[in-house]
């Protein structure tokens, strides 16, 4: 059992900084996800923990031992790779027992441990198969078997589910969680899929451009995103973000105004207003909302029925009055339409005019310049809200 | 139209073999290609195999019948194959050659694979320049090095008061220069093979508990088996067949590690050359090569199919 600590970790390549001042404290037995878009440095960070890449600066501690200069084999870690990386010239038994054989563990002991791992992974009877004869899911499980059989202190997973089909991915996701709970091993899991990160981990480390954006439990990242990037990255579909300005206690934008006087945000601030699609309500269903904003008249532009809910793309009246397509589309991909999630039985059609309100306790304001979150509620003291569904 | 070209004027019974064949060839062009293929392959086979046939003929003909020797065997004197070993300790020369070829192969594989790993899988400053230097060396004709290498290995070069080793009449005098000559090719081919093994496999091996070198020998080399086998066979054949260094670095005595080349020249006395024994010895000398090619071919093919199965 081990904790992992990254101190001021940097990785510089010739012209890029892949990882920029990474500080992380991962507790014993914790399951954390490194999540971020491609090229954000999450895999590099994992490789530095594994010892496959050496950091340009900073230290890595495992179990309070400085392992920065240790080769991978002396770190007592196990890793599952995105491309699975089973040795194609060895059968399942040889693959799984590879690490044990290298450490000259007695044969009986090896058989015992391999047997147990195969049981956990439901791979009994596959020991003499070659990797090429296995299905994708089986290969993945063999790779996990190879990792758990050595009883490592830290378990590193680099997008292990990325190459599996959607159905298998969801299955393996729960499987992995079960295994992790059973073994109670400190786990670092790299993924670009925020849904994986949300569902599996104890804490999420959101990375962007090599920098740590937020390191918090999934729901905190969701409900109290530290900045615009986290707000946009965590949650699907992502949070509505509207650029504007706080003036005389009112957030003013091209789309709508919101009274933000009670939030304590200073006047004369360039700000971004953020609200998740599920916190936008039609005005006729305000009984769900404890504190709501003033109604905004909008036109339904596009409907996306998902089955369990419908996503509505709304054009605020103020924008549509200007009738300028470019404004509605937004410049440089800046979002101008408002996304709302409604029940599937809601009586709306494309082209309808509806009035919507925001849940003020779940509306966010971000500093437009730095992107840092200013407030996560427009109420002075967010009351204990029980979300009705 | 057929009538104009005259192709159907006559029936097949009127034509000779050549005419019939050409008529069919005009109708079906594949016949021409098959025919050409047979002719060309036949020609090359003739060139490659005739010497062997001639050797066999020489070996089977007693010396006194040489003047009557034609293309058809006129005697069947198998005894020369035994006599060849009685006159000269040819088995000893063969053993020398085989041992030295094996030594060279081991040296080339061990050092070449490490160098191939470095060039194929690592990134470092000056890599291209270094690889190019290795290649340039391999372009020189080996003969160009002969005199300096001879001086070096006979203890005639002194560096800072330390004399170079005296390896003349020892295996080192042949194994070392030949290893150096084959090495550039080995490095180049192995680097190409190793660079194609996915990084993940090496990483996995290192995480599981091996060093880089361990990963090379346990994972990378087995997966690059066709390349390694190619280099091993090539090195063995080159060393076994080599004439120049083999001839000049030893004095011809079997106990002084003289190879097959020397053994064969030993049938040449001051007054007579025992051509039949020489031919018999040559044929025996070829047998290890033939065996290796047959066995190795299987190995190369199995290596290739194993490689095809990987993801």
């Amino acid at each position: 059992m081990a904790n992992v600590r990254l101190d001021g970790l940097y990785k510089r390549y010739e012209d890029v900084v892949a990882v920029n001042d990474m500080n992380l404290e991962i507790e014993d037995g914790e399951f954390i996800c490194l999540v971020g878009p491609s090229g954000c440095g999450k895999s590099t960070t994992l490789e530095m923990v594994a010892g496959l890449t050496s950091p340009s600066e900073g230290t890595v501690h495992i179990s309070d031992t400085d392992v920065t200069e240790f080769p991978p084999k002396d770190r007592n870690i196990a890793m599952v790779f995105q491309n699975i990386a089973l040795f194609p010239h060895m059968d399942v038994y040889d693959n799984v027992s590879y690490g044990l054989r290298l450490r000259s563990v007695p044969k009986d002991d090896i058989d015992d441990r391999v047997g147990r791992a195969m049981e956990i992974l439901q791979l009994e009877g596959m020991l003499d198969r070659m990797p090429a004869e296995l299905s994708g899911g089986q290969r993945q499980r063999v790779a996990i078997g190879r990792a758990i059989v050595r009883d490592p202190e830290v378990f590193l997973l680099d997008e292990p589910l990325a190459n599996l089909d959607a159905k298998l991915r969801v299955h393996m996701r729960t499987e992995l969680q079960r295994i992790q709970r059973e073994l109670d091993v400190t786990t670092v899991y790299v993924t670009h899929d925020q849904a994986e990160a949300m569902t599996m981990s104890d804490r999420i480390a959101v990375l962007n451009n090599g920098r740590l954006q937020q390191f918090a439990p999934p729901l905190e990242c969701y409900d109290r995103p530290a900045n615009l990037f986290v707000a946009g990255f965590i949650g699907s579909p992502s949070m509505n973000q509207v650029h504007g300005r706080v003036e005389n206690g009112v957030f003013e934008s091209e789309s709508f105004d919101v009274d933000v006087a009670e939030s304590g945000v200073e006047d004369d601030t360039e700000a971004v207003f953020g609200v998740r699609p599920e916190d936008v309500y039609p005005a006729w269903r305000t009984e769900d909302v404890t504190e709501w904003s003033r109604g905004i008249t909008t036109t339904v532009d596009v409907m996306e029925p998902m089955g369990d809910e419908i996503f509505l793309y709304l054009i605020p009246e103020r924008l549509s009055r200007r009738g300028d397509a470019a404004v509605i589309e937004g410049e440089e991909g800046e979002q101008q339409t408002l996304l709302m999630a409604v029940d599937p039985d809601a009586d709306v059609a494309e082209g309808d005019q509806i009035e919507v309100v925001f849940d003020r306790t779940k509306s966010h304001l971000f500093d437009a310049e730095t992107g840092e979150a200013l407030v996560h509620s427009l109420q002075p003291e967010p009351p204990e809200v029980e979300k009705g569904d | 139209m057929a009538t104009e070209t005259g192709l159907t004027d006559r029936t097949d019974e009127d034509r000779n073999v050549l005419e019939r064949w050409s008529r069919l060839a005009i109708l079906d062009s594949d016949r021409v290609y098959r025919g050409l293929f047979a002719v060309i392959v036949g020609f090359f086979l003739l060139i490659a195999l005739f010497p062997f046939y001639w050797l066999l003929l020489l070996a089977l003909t007693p010396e006194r019948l040489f003047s009557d020797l034609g293309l058809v065997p006129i005697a069947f004197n198998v005894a020369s194959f035994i006599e060849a070993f009685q006159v000269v300790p040819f088995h000893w020369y063969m053993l020398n050659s085989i041992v030295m070829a094996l030594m060279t192969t081991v040296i080339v594989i061990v050092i070449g694979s490490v160098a191939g790993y470095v060039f194929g899988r690592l990134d470092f400053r000056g890599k291209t320049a270094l690889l190019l230097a290795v290649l340039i060396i391999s372009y020189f004709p080996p003969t160009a090095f002969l005199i300096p290498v001879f001086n070096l290995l006979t203890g005639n070069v002194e560096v800072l008061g330390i004399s170079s080793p005296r390896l003349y009449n020892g295996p080192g005098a042949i194994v070392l220069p030949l290893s150096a000559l084959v090495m550039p090719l080995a490095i180049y081919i192995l680097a190409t093979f190793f660079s194609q093994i996915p990084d993940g496999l090496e990483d996995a091996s290192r995480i599981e508990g091996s060093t880089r070198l361990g990963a090379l020998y346990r994972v990378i080399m087995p997966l690059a088996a066709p390349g390694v086998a190619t280099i091993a066979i090539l090195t063995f054949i080159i060393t076994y067949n080599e004439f120049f260094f083999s001839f000049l670095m030893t004095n011809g005595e079997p106990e002084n590690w003289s190879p097959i080349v020397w053994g064969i020249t030993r049938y040449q006395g001051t007054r007579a050359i025992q051509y039949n024994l020489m031919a018999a010895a040559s044929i025996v000398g070829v047998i290890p090569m033939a065996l290796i090619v047959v066995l190795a071919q299987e190995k190369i093919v199995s290596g290739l199919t194993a490689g095809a199965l990987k993801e």
Side-chain angles (χ1 to χ4, degrees):
Chain A
M1 294 299 98
N3 56 337
V4 176
R5 198 170 79 234
L6 311 184
D7 273 325
L9 214 53
Y10 281 86
K11 181 66 190 179
R12 295 188 195 86
Y13 293 105
E14 265 165 39
D15 47 353
V16 255
V17 181
V19 173
N20 197 338
D21 194 19
M22 182 73 59
N23 292 288
L24 276 186
E25 281 238 38
I26 302 159
E27 279 158 33
D28 188 14
E30 204 176 15
F31 192 125
I32 78 135
C33 274
L34 296 177
V35 64
S38 311
C40 71
K42 53 192 191 300
S43 288
T44 313
T45 307
L46 195 73
E47 280 171 16
M48 286 193 283
V49 177
L52 296 171
T53 305
S54 47
S56 314
E57 214 177 290
T59 56
V60 178
H61 285 78
I62 296 178
S63 297
D64 295 317
T65 313
D66 186 349
V67 297
T68 318
E69 301 298 324
F70 284 24
K73 70 186 179 76
D74 297 333
R75 297 189 180 204
N76 203 5
I77 47 166
M79 188 160 171
V80 177
F81 295 82
Q82 180 175 0
N83 53 11
I84 298 175
L86 290 181
F87 306 124
H89 58 304
M90 299 181 190
D91 63 17
V92 170
Y93 177 86
D94 284 346
N95 260 294
V96 173
S97 61
Y98 185 79
L100 297 173
R101 284 184 289 130
L102 281 178
R103 288 176 172 73
S104 336
V105 175
K107 176 95 170 85
D108 291 350
D109 202 7
I110 294 180
D111 288 348
D112 212 41
R113 289 212 226 172
V114 172
R116 224 174 323 132
M118 294 294 99
E119 219 169 278
I120 291 176
L121 298 163
Q122 293 151 17
L123 281 170
E124 293 108 323
M126 301 267 180
L127 283 177
D128 49 4
R129 302 266 186 99
M130 298 304 278
E133 299 167 340
L134 300 174
S135 71
Q138 287 169 335
R139 275 182 223 172
Q140 189 63 68
R141 275 181 283 159
V142 173
I144 295 168
R146 183 172 66 184
I148 63 177
V149 80
R150 277 191 296 118
D151 211 356
E153 288 192 317
V154 184
F155 204 20
L156 307 173
L157 301 117
D158 187 1
E159 307 215 23
L161 308 182
N163 287 350
L164 303 181
D165 62 65
K167 201 173 159 212
L168 197 55
R169 190 153 54 219
V170 175
H171 172 72
M172 287 305 295
R173 199 196 282 174
T174 46
E175 199 85 328
L176 267 178
Q177 275 174 288
R178 182 174 61 81
I179 293 166
Q180 199 267 343
R181 217 173 315 120
E182 246 167 66
L183 303 171
D184 196 26
V185 182
T186 314
T187 305
V188 184
Y189 187 104
V190 162
T191 177
H192 64 266
D193 181 352
Q194 56 90 23
E196 256 172 40
M198 289 291 287
T199 50
M200 298 175 82
S201 47
D202 296 326
R203 279 196 287 171
I204 301 180
V206 186
L207 271 62
N208 188 34
N209 288 332
R211 276 186 183 280
L212 183 62
Q213 306 291 321
Q214 185 165 15
F215 186 36
L219 281 180
E220 192 178 331
C221 289
Y222 190 79
D223 291 332
R224 305 175 64 81
N227 56 36
L228 273 175
F229 177 80
V230 178
F233 194 81
I234 301 289
S236 173
S238 53
M239 186 185 275
N240 289 299
Q241 298 178 2
V242 179
H243 287 258
R245 198 176 161 75
V246 177
E247 208 91 65
N248 302 324
V250 177
F251 171 81
E252 295 173 353
S253 73
E254 289 181 345
S255 311
F256 50 78
D257 295 345
V258 183
D259 178 12
V260 297
E262 289 170 85
S263 68
V265 175
E266 285 173 30
D267 283 349
D268 277 344
T269 318
E270 290 286 336
V272 177
F273 175 82
V275 63
R276 294 204 178 272
E278 68 267 28
D279 298 323
V280 183
Y281 294 86
W284 69 83
R285 288 210 44 190
T286 44
E287 73 274 7
D288 285 349
V289 190
T290 328
E291 298 288 341
W292 57 89
S293 64
R294 242 177 321 138
I296 299 160
T297 312
T298 61
T299 312
V300 179
D301 188 23
V302 177
M303 285 176 67
E304 281 182 352
M306 302 299 290
D308 57 339
E309 57 189 347
I310 303 175
F311 292 126
L312 301 180
Y313 290 84
L314 308 170
I315 303 174
E317 200 192 12
R318 196 188 286 177
L319 269 182
S320 56
R321 255 208 310 270
R322 289 174 54 175
D324 189 346
V327 174
I328 294 169
E329 291 288 312
E331 287 159 24
E332 291 160 12
E334 199 176 276
Q335 186 191 355
Q336 298 286 322
T337 56
L338 206 55
L339 184 60
M340 171 169 85
V342 295
D343 290 341
D345 54 357
D347 182 23
V348 280
E350 287 179 9
D352 280 4
Q353 263 208 351
I354 60 170
E355 197 176 348
V356 297
V357 294
F358 308 128
D359 184 342
R360 287 172 57 85
T361 58
K362 295 192 172 173
S363 299
H364 313 259
L365 276 177
F366 301 91
D367 189 314
E369 250 172 66
T370 60
E372 296 299 314
L374 298 170
V375 287
H376 295 295
S377 164
L378 303 182
Q379 295 303 111
E381 263 176 41
E384 286 296 311
V385 187
E386 270 181 62
K387 200 182 172 193
D389 41 315
Chain B
M1 190 185 127
T3 343
E4 282 166 28
T5 53
L7 279 175
T8 51
D9 284 358
R10 296 181 294 167
T11 55
D12 271 355
E13 284 80 55
D14 303 331
R15 303 192 178 98
N16 64 28
V17 180
L18 198 62
E19 280 175 329
R20 265 207 301 281
W21 197 88
S22 8
R23 184 177 153 270
L24 287 172
I26 290 167
L27 294 175
D28 174 15
S29 57
D30 274 355
R31 277 182 86 90
V32 182
Y33 295 125
R34 280 201 301 274
L36 281 176
F37 177 76
V39 168
I40 292 170
V41 168
F43 177 69
F44 279 110
L45 275 179
L46 184 74
I47 289 186
L49 293 181
F50 180 75
F52 282 100
Y53 175 71
W54 191 250
L55 276 179
L56 198 64
L57 221 56
L58 275 179
L60 292 176
T61 314
E63 265 189 297
R64 57 190 163 76
L65 295 178
F66 272 180
S67 47
D68 302 331
L69 191 57
L71 276 181
V72 198
I74 47 170
F76 196 74
N77 178 27
V78 193
S80 59
F81 283 95
I82 296 161
E83 208 185 323
F85 285 93
Q86 290 167 337
V87 176
V88 172
F90 192 68
H91 51 283
W92 200 342
Y93 288 101
M94 271 182 79
L95 187 72
N96 288 346
S97 274
I98 290 173
V99 168
M100 286 189 294
L102 284 176
M103 283 165 76
T104 315
T105 308
V106 169
I107 291 176
V108 167
I109 291 295
V110 170
I111 299 179
S113 60
V114 175
Y117 173 85
V118 171
F119 280 118
R121 300 189 66 86
L122 301 183
D123 252 327
F124 55 93
R125 211 182 297 256
K127 173 175 158 178
T128 320
L130 213 55
L131 190 58
L132 219 59
V134 169
L135 272 181
I136 287 169
I137 290 171
S138 75
Y139 293 151
F140 283 100
T143 332
F145 302 120
L146 189 64
I147 291 169
V149 166
F150 186 87
N151 275 333
L152 184 72
L153 297 182
T154 45
N156 289 327
V157 177
E158 222 173 76
V159 181
L160 300 172
I162 302 163
S163 166
S164 60
R166 289 167 188 280
L167 297 176
Y168 184 76
N169 274 343
I174 293 172
V175 169
L176 288 182
L178 286 179
S179 303
L181 284 177
V182 186
M183 200 66 81
L185 182 71
I187 291 172
Y188 204 73
I189 290 184
L190 289 176
T192 315
F193 269 90
F194 291 171
S195 67
Q196 283 160 12
I197 308 295
D199 284 349
L201 295 178
E202 189 191 346
D203 290 348
S205 174
R206 289 177 61 205
I207 290 212
E208 285 299 305
S210 77
T211 54
R212 277 178 187 276
L213 213 59
L216 171 63
Y217 287 116
R218 281 166 202 277
V219 176
I220 297 172
M221 278 177 69
L223 290 176
V228 177
T230 309
I231 287 304
I233 292 156
L234 222 59
T235 310
F236 191 93
I237 292 176
I238 289 175
T239 318
Y240 191 84
N241 289 350
E242 207 271 341
F243 173 77
F244 234 80
F245 287 93
S246 314
F247 190 72
L248 290 161
M249 291 297 185
T250 48
N251 66 356
E253 295 304 320
E255 62 270 24
N256 287 338
W257 292 86
S258 300
I260 285 181
V261 186
W262 270 114
I264 289 171
T265 61
R266 281 294 150 111
Y267 295 102
Q268 183 175 354
T270 43
R271 271 169 293 166
I273 302 175
Q274 290 165 297
Y275 282 115
N276 58 339
L277 299 186
M278 207 182 245
S282 299
I283 287 173
V284 173
V286 167
I287 290 173
M289 272 308 73
L291 278 178
I292 279 181
V293 169
V294 170
L295 293 177
Q297 209 164 26
E298 216 155 277
K299 173 75 196 162
I300 290 176
V301 169
S302 71
L304 283 174
T305 41
L309 286 177
K310 101 191 160 218
E311 304 160 59

